[in-house]
Amino acid sequence: FITMSAKSETGYTPVDQIPHIVQGVRNAFDSGITREISWRKEQLKALRRCLEENKETVCFNFWELMGLV
């Protein structure tokens, strides 16, 4: 499993770590651990419904977080 904790003092992933990270992601994909596109689309549709149903609360909390209310 890959973690994204290998960061330099600048907060960016060191260039020499990138090939290892990419290979890990490819291995995970090739293993079949990832979900089908249909599942991903359903998750996005559910997220959209949730946001639409809670639009006022989400917007208010965002505005509050940004110090606008």
Side-chain angles (χ1 to χ4, degrees):
F1 188 76
I2 299 170
T3 63
M4 297 297 187
S5 62
K7 301 221 177 185
S8 69
E9 299 98 34
T10 63
Y12 295 102
T13 302
V15 173
D16 63 333
Q17 294 288 321
I18 294 174
H20 173 72
I21 293 169
V22 170
Q23 188 59 51
V25 172
R26 286 183 177 150
N27 291 343
F29 180 81
D30 291 342
S31 75
I33 197 170
T34 57
R35 303 276 186 143
E36 294 292 324
I37 189 75
S38 58
W39 181 87
R40 294 177 186 281
K41 286 180 178 180
E42 287 304 315
Q43 293 297 301
L44 290 172
K45 288 177 187 176
L47 176 60
R48 182 178 185 174
R49 279 192 307 272
C50 179
L51 291 171
E52 287 173 350
E53 292 170 4
N54 297 287
K55 181 180 178 179
E56 289 181 21
T57 302
V58 170
C59 287
F60 177 81
N61 287 320
F62 175 76
W63 294 329
E64 188 176 44
L65 180 67
M66 299 305 291
L68 301 173
V69 288

